[in-house]
Amino acid sequence: VSGQRSISTFFATK
Amino acid sequence: MFEAQMAQAALLKQIIESIRELITEATFEVSGTGMMLQAMDSSHVSLVALNLRSDGFQLFRADRPFSMGMNLNHMAKMLKCAGKDDTLTMRADEANDLVTFLFESPGNERLAEFELKLMDITSENLGIPDAEYSATVSMPSAEFQRIVKDLGSIGDTVEITVTKDDVRFAASGDIGNATIKCRQLLDTEKPEDRTLIEMVEPVNLTFALRYLINFSKATSLAPSVTIKLSTEMPVVVEYKLSDIGYVRFYLAPKIED
């Protein structure tokens, strides 16, 4: 396991 | 004009205490439906969503949608000054950049008024879709806190695996490895002592433990916690606030590059 994803890659900006 | 009254100032104090290390500044959005807050931590790995419904307040009035940007550490400083059984009234209007917290003792013999300066906060608001999750685990919140704290002393990340029989939390580090397995437990005296596993399909995901440990600061807010998981999706850790709403924490998974 390596990469920490950003939460904004999962939920689109309103 | 915004005005809202809560029976227990201690509830808002506890809520803010549980999120203020993750997010130091946030905007409360006030409307007829209640008070909402959504904010990412500074590294944009996790997100906090707080919802306090208007019907959960003793009194709630918001003439029009209103944004209140606050420094949560400053808010916490003021809320700490409330007596443990004090009621809380919040008041604000658009004419000045202040929110007033009124703490009233149960016998009405003491009334404390604190005014907090509001601030403009520019932040991204994310749309969180109503998703079906592959697995939903509800367990005593104290048990979840113990698991993430215990594993935090072993490793930096936790691998969560849900099968139909159990949920496993595993960590490894320089000193060795640890696995904690929780089986479904439905036959308990109190419903909040249950461990309930609803699985559509098995999941296996890895998360940074320090965030989960941070989320578990909300343990005192609810006897039970709900963890929702789907492959390659952020985990949702939800604490229901009885009769008023919820605090949800979202954490992006670690994914192999």
Side-chain angles (χ1 to χ4, degrees):
Chain A
V1 176
S2 46
Q4 173 63 64
R5 290 294 184 267
S6 160
I7 197 85
S8 50
T9 57
F10 296 95
F11 303 136
T13 308
K14 266 194 208 169
Chain B
M1 174 75 185
F2 161 64
E3 185 173 17
Q5 191 178 65
M6 244 182 191
Q8 297 281 337
L11 174 63
L12 190 63
K13 180 182 134 190
Q14 266 182 294
I15 293 170
I16 300 305
E17 286 298 330
S18 72
I19 61 175
R20 74 183 174 93
E21 271 182 50
L22 220 49
I23 48 169
T24 46
E25 291 175 355
T27 302
F28 283 86
E29 301 292 346
V30 170
S31 72
T33 55
M35 284 179 83
M36 287 172 76
L37 174 154
Q38 193 204 85
M40 284 184 275
D41 73 284
S42 58
S43 59
H44 288 199
V45 169
S46 68
L47 180 142
V48 178
L50 167 68
N51 188 1
L52 303 174
R53 291 188 319 268
S54 55
D55 61 33
F57 289 82
Q58 289 183 318
L59 176 155
F60 194 94
R61 179 184 156 198
D63 295 341
R64 67 182 81 161
F66 187 53
S67 297
M68 299 193 296
M70 290 189 234
N71 177 306
L72 299 190
N73 290 323
H74 298 172
M75 192 180 173
K77 271 188 191 180
M78 292 193 171
L79 292 172
K80 271 185 190 161
C81 302
K84 90 176 163 50
D85 297 316
D86 283 2
T87 60
L88 165 68
T89 305
M90 289 175 273
R91 275 191 203 130
D93 62 57
E94 281 154 291
N96 49 33
D97 293 330
L98 291 169
V99 59
T100 304
F101 299 110
L102 288 165
F103 308 131
E104 209 166 334
S105 63
N108 296 89
E109 71 280 6
R110 186 177 193 270
L111 183 69
E113 187 173 322
F114 286 74
E115 287 181 329
L116 177 67
K117 289 177 188 167
L118 295 177
M119 53 204 288
D120 279 326
I121 297 165
T122 44
S123 58
E124 271 180 271
N125 229 333
L126 302 179
I128 302 163
D130 272 330
E132 293 281 320
Y133 286 86
S134 299
T136 303
V137 177
S138 296
M139 61 162 61
S141 56
E143 174 61 25
F144 177 68
Q145 183 173 45
R146 181 180 170 196
I147 290 168
V148 291
K149 279 190 172 173
D150 286 353
L151 294 182
S153 64
I154 306 297
D156 296 331
T157 62
V158 59
E159 188 182 349
I160 305 179
T161 309
V162 186
T163 62
K164 69 176 169 46
D165 297 318
D166 57 42
V167 50
R168 288 166 203 233
F169 301 86
S172 35
D174 295 341
I175 63 164
N177 314 307
T179 305
I180 299 166
K181 183 166 81 176
C182 299
R183 291 201 185 92
Q184 177 151 275
L185 177 66
L186 301 176
D187 185 20
T188 59
E189 216 167 283
K190 292 186 218 152
E192 59 264 31
D193 291 338
R194 282 179 197 157
T195 297
L196 177 68
I197 301 169
E198 291 170 281
M199 192 208 74
V200 180
E201 51 187 346
V203 286
N204 172 267
L205 285 150
T206 301
F207 299 99
L209 270 164
R210 68 186 183 93
Y211 288 94
L212 296 177
I213 293 168
N214 216 319
F215 300 169
S216 74
K217 288 184 195 296
T219 299
S220 61
L221 291 171
S224 150
V225 62
T226 303
I227 304 151
K228 298 177 192 176
L229 299 137
S230 284
T231 301
E232 295 197 2
M233 283 299 290
V235 61
V236 188
V237 179
E238 179 180 80
Y239 296 85
K240 284 198 176 69
L241 310 168
S242 57
D243 303 327
I244 189 161
Y246 60 75
V247 187
R248 286 182 189 150
F249 299 96
Y250 296 82
L251 175 61
K254 291 204 158 213
I255 295 173
E256 271 179 82
D257 288 317

